[in-house]
C-alpha cells in the first residue's frame, strides 16, 4: 500500500473529495467510547474524516499524520468549524510520537496503521509492535484505542486484502482487540461521478466493477478494532 503514499501528497484534495462521500462515524466512535471532554489523539488524521466529528466535543485533539498537505486540509476544515480551538496538527511518524506519556484518553486511527503493517514489508510486525508500544505509552490508565481499516472496496461483505490479513489477525490474537465490521459505502450522484472520484485511488479494477454493476453508490466494508486498557 506504500505505493499510494504520493496520492496523499499530490492529490490530497481529490482524496478528501472521495472520502467525504462516506458516512459520518460519530455514532460508531461514541458508542465504543464517549469522547466528550476527553483528550484525543487522531493517529494518521489525514484530511479529518475522524477529527472533524471529534473536535467539537473533545477536551483536546492532537492530529498527527506523515503528510503535511493532508493536515493542511484538516486545519482549514477545523478553522471553519464552530468549535473551540482545542486542536493542533503535527507531522509525525506513528512509531515515534511527540506526545507526553499518559496524556491521552482516546486514540482513534482511520485507514492509516495499515501502511506500516502491510505484510509485503519485511518489517511490518516490528512496525506494528512499535506503534502499539507508542500508543500504550501515551494512553492514560483506562484509555481506549479504536482502529478503522479497510475490509474491501467494491464488496458488500468483508473481503479484506490478503496483505493486511496477518495484521488484522495480530490485532485480535496478539494485542487483544475486539472486532466488528460495518458498511462505509461511497454515495455518488451517478456512475460517471463514481468513476471520476475513485479511479485515481483504486484503479481500473474498481472502475470495471462500477461499470459492471452500474454503481452510483460504491459498496465498501470497514473493520473496527477496539481495546479498553
Amino acid at each position: 500500500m506504500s505505493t499510494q503514499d504520493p496520492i496523499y501528497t499530490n492529490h490530497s484534495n481529490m482524496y478528501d473529495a472521495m472520502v467525504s462521500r462516506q458516512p459520518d462515524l460519530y455514532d460508531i466512535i461514541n458508542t465504543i467510547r464517549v469522547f466528550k471532554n476527553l483528550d484525543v489523539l487522531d493517529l494518521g488524521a489525514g484530511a479529518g474524516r475522524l477529527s472533524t466529528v471529534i473536535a467539537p466535543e473533545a477536551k483536546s485533539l492532537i492530529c498527527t499524520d506523515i503528510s503535511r498537505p493532508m493536515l493542511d486540509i484538516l486545519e482549514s476544515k477545523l478553522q471553519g468549524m464552530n468549535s473551540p480551538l482545542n486542536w493542533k496538527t503535527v507531522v509525525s511518524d506513528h512509531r515515534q510520537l511527540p506526545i507526553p506519556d499518559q496524556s491521552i484518553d482516546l486514540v482513534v486511527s482511520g485507514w492509516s496503521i495499515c501502511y506500516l503493517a502491510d505484510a509485503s514489508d519485511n518489517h511490518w510486525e516490528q512496525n506494528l509492535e512499535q506503534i502499539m508500544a507508542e500508543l500504550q505509552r501515551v494512553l492514560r490508565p483506562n484509555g481506549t484505542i479504536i482502529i478503522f481499516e479497510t475490509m474491501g472496496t467494491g464488496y458488500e461483505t468483508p473481503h479484506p486484502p490478503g496483505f493486511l490479513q496477518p495484521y488484522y489477525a495480530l490485532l485480535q490474537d496478539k494485542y487483544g482487540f475486539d472486532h466488528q465490521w460495518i458498511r462505509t459505502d461511497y454515495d455518488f450522484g451517478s456512475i460517471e461521478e463514481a468513476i471520476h472520484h475513485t479511479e485515481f485511488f483504486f484503479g481500473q479494477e474498481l472502475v470495471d466493477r462500477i461499470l459492471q454493476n452500474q454503481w452510483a453508490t460504491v459498496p465498501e466494508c470497514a473493520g473496527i478494532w477496539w481495546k479498553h486498557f
Side-chain angles (χ1 to χ4, degrees):
M1 294 183 73
S2 60
T3 56
Q4 291 182 330
D5 290 353
I7 288 175
Y8 300 113
T9 299
N10 301 324
H11 303 289
S12 52
N13 285 298
M14 291 177 65
Y15 180 79
D16 181 48
M18 178 181 72
V19 300
S20 69
R21 303 305 184 91
Q22 294 182 286
D24 186 313
L25 296 170
Y26 175 98
D27 289 340
I28 295 291
I29 298 169
N30 211 48
T31 297
I32 296 172
R33 179 69 188 266
V34 175
F35 52 81
K36 186 176 178 63
N37 295 326
L38 296 188
D39 294 310
V40 182
L41 164 63
D42 187 350
L43 184 79
R49 190 186 327 192
L50 304 183
S51 292
T52 51
V53 302
I54 291 171
E57 296 187 10
K59 178 181 178 182
S60 71
L61 175 62
I62 301 175
C63 310
T64 67
D65 201 277
I66 202 67
S67 170
R68 170 44 65 185
M70 295 294 282
L71 290 178
D72 288 344
I73 294 173
L74 170 54
E75 286 190 359
S76 179
K77 288 181 180 179
L78 292 177
Q79 287 167 357
M81 292 172 59
N82 185 22
S83 62
L85 296 176
N86 60 345
W87 53 268
K88 66 177 179 179
T89 64
V90 182
V91 175
S92 174
D93 188 295
H94 296 349
R95 296 163 292 188
Q96 192 171 5
L97 299 170
I99 298 173
D101 296 356
Q102 296 190 3
S103 60
I104 299 295
D105 300 303
L106 170 63
V107 176
V108 296
S109 183
W111 298 269
S112 181
I113 295 174
C114 58
Y115 289 98
L116 289 167
D118 177 342
S120 65
D121 181 340
N122 292 333
H123 303 291
W124 76 269
E125 289 185 72
Q126 180 182 346
N127 290 340
L128 184 58
E129 187 171 338
Q130 289 178 294
I131 293 166
M132 289 300 162
E134 276 292 87
L135 296 185
Q136 291 181 57
R137 177 185 66 79
V138 304
L139 272 183
R140 294 189 176 111
N142 303 313
T144 300
I145 299 174
I146 305 173
I147 298 170
F148 295 87
E149 299 285 10
T150 183
M151 291 291 279
T153 303
Y155 296 93
E156 296 179 339
T157 56
H159 193 273
F163 55 83
L164 293 179
Q165 290 180 25
Y167 156 44
Y168 296 166
L170 279 194
L171 285 178
Q172 295 169 245
D173 299 339
K174 179 178 180 179
Y175 295 104
F177 280 72
D178 292 313
H179 170 64
Q180 71 177 81
W181 69 274
I182 60 172
R183 289 281 292 273
T184 52
D185 299 357
Y186 300 85
D187 188 11
F188 300 108
S190 66
I191 296 167
E192 292 74 22
E193 192 176 351
I195 293 171
H196 172 73
H197 281 286
T198 61
E199 183 176 13
F200 81 101
F201 191 80
F202 292 108
Q204 188 61 43
E205 183 179 353
L206 182 61
V207 170
D208 292 342
R209 291 177 63 80
I210 291 171
L211 290 171
Q212 178 183 354
N213 293 281
Q214 295 291 285
W215 282 332
T217 297
V218 179
E220 182 178 84
C221 299
I224 310 167
W225 290 263
W226 71 93
K227 184 175 180 178
H228 303 292
F229 289 82

